[in-house]
Amino acid sequence: MTPDKPAPERPATDPARPYVTIVLPCYNEQDHVVAEVDRICAAMDASEYGYELLAVDDASSDDTLLRLRDAEARHPHLEVVAFGHNGGSGTVRRIGSQRARGEIVVWTDADMSYPNERIPDLVAILAKDPDIDQVVGARRQEAGSHRLLRVPTKWFIRKTAEVLTNTKIPDLNSGLRAFRREVSLPYLRLLPPGFSCVTTITLAFLSNQHRVHYVPIDYAKRAGTSKFHFAKDAYRYILQVLRMVMYFNPLKVLMPIALALLAIGTVKFGYDMVTQFGYIRNNTIMVFLSGLMIGSMGLLADLIVRSRDGS
């Protein structure tokens, strides 16, 4: 059970100490990045929350950085950060969250796909309810590239994550979310450099009993060219789901496999005894020993996880 938390502080209006930090990865978004910055700033200026917008140019090869610099002169809450080489959206979000001054960190994209005018709504949920640690914009529909392949693949990955975390997850990898920076700090080092960073932060919170709230949002077709590579990124997504659950609860992954092998080995042993009494086939021994070894690995991994968490 999540321990009781103190009531959140009143949202800061002093620009020297913003209440919200918005981390905006930007990579080759020259045609629409200024419009996205304008939309975010307009929404936040109209809200009651003090904020900073960290727009990170991830070594774009077009004029994204130049246009962000021009926008920086017009928006006092905008800070432009330029990376010397491309680190990936996960690296941008990790570094942006680590250097954030706000109590609430918001992740979003600069491709016009997410309704960033709703960022104050997500922040308001966290400000009003201290029991919620993360608010995720759950997309009502999929509008990305490779839609016919992405929809069933993401459904399968999401269902796998739900089974492994015992939690209903409307949207596992939404790019629009707000969370408490203090809660996220232990998990930022786990973020991979690519798109699966959003999956990682969701699973990290859920695996550690931090409450995640989902808000339905509309999702538009992205502006510009998608950086998503279906085969490579889908593989990384499912690998990251398994990695994160192994990191926090390895028995969830290993014990069902071990028990299945032990059950098969037991049935096979009975079959061997009936068909040729006193003779145990090699494959029966291999299956049974494999189950024992995987089960032992699961118990050892669980002991390591519990020892790590208790240290």
Side-chain angles (χ1 to χ4, degrees):
M1 182 178 294
T2 304
D4 292 338
K5 304 175 186 176
E9 297 179 13
R10 186 179 183 81
T13 56
D14 181 4
R17 186 178 179 274
Y19 182 66
V20 180
T21 296
I22 302 163
V23 180
L24 185 69
C26 305
Y27 178 65
N28 290 347
E29 312 279 6
Q30 65 175 12
D31 295 332
H32 45 269
V33 68
V34 174
E36 193 68 275
V37 167
D38 290 342
R39 177 165 64 149
I40 294 172
C41 289
M44 294 305 299
D45 288 340
S47 73
E48 62 180 295
Y49 307 110
Y51 74 98
E52 62 176 347
L53 172 58
L54 298 181
V56 182
D57 177 69
D58 196 16
S60 297
S61 58
D62 61 6
D63 289 334
T64 297
L65 179 58
L66 179 62
R67 301 194 179 185
L68 284 173
R69 293 295 187 196
D70 291 340
E72 191 175 25
R74 296 187 291 105
H75 295 289
H77 299 287
L78 171 64
E79 179 182 353
V80 177
V81 180
F83 277 9
H85 63 276
N86 184 265
S89 61
T91 302
V92 170
R93 291 183 169 106
R94 173 178 59 80
I95 293 177
S97 301
Q98 288 171 336
R99 66 179 290 173
R101 294 181 295 150
E103 298 176 30
I104 305 300
V105 175
V106 176
W107 288 358
T108 189
D109 290 336
D111 58 13
M112 307 299 290
S113 58
Y114 289 100
N116 287 330
E117 66 277 1
R118 295 194 60 187
I119 289 176
D121 298 336
L122 274 60
V123 173
I125 295 173
L126 291 172
K128 293 175 182 177
D129 191 340
D131 291 329
I132 297 176
D133 292 314
Q134 183 171 179
V135 180
V136 177
R139 294 164 292 184
R140 293 188 176 95
Q141 71 285 332
E142 175 67 59
S145 57
H146 310 288
R147 189 167 183 265
L148 291 178
L149 294 174
R150 288 176 67 164
V151 170
T153 302
K154 287 188 175 183
W155 178 88
F156 172 76
I157 296 173
R158 179 167 55 84
K159 289 301 178 182
T160 301
E162 288 181 346
V163 171
L164 294 175
T165 59
N166 289 328
T167 308
K168 178 71 174 177
I169 306 174
D171 193 339
L172 180 61
N173 59 330
S174 170
L176 177 59
R177 60 190 60 226
F179 53 86
R180 302 190 191 279
R181 178 179 180 273
E182 184 178 0
V183 175
S184 73
L185 289 178
Y187 313 126
L188 294 179
R189 62 186 176 85
L190 303 175
L191 297 182
F195 292 105
S196 52
C197 62
V198 292
T199 301
T200 302
I201 201 70
T202 302
L203 293 175
F205 274 54
L206 291 174
S207 298
N208 287 276
Q209 303 304 310
H210 299 296
R211 187 177 168 192
V212 178
H213 181 76
Y214 298 91
V215 176
I217 61 170
D218 293 322
Y219 184 64
K221 184 176 180 180
R222 68 153 289 135
T225 303
S226 175
K227 286 85 174 176
F228 183 86
H229 302 283
F230 174 77
K232 180 173 65 175
D233 289 318
Y235 170 75
R236 288 176 177 173
Y237 273 131
I238 193 166
L239 187 64
Q240 191 64 13
V241 169
L242 295 175
R243 178 184 293 135
M244 291 303 298
V245 177
M246 280 288 293
Y247 186 87
F248 292 113
N249 191 358
L251 289 180
K252 272 284 186 179
V253 177
L254 296 179
M255 197 51 68
I257 299 174
L259 293 176
L261 290 173
L262 290 173
I264 294 172
T266 301
V267 172
K268 187 68 166 55
F269 174 80
Y271 176 80
D272 292 345
M273 291 297 98
V274 171
T275 57
Q276 193 171 353
F277 184 77
Y279 177 73
I280 305 175
R281 292 175 173 82
N282 290 336
N283 54 11
T284 301
I285 298 173
M286 290 297 296
V287 170
F288 198 84
L289 289 179
S290 297
L292 287 177
M293 287 189 292
I294 294 175
S296 299
M297 289 173 55
L299 292 172
L300 179 60
D302 185 68
L303 178 61
I304 294 172
V305 166
R306 295 180 185 280
S307 300
R308 180 196 67 211
D309 293 341
S311 61

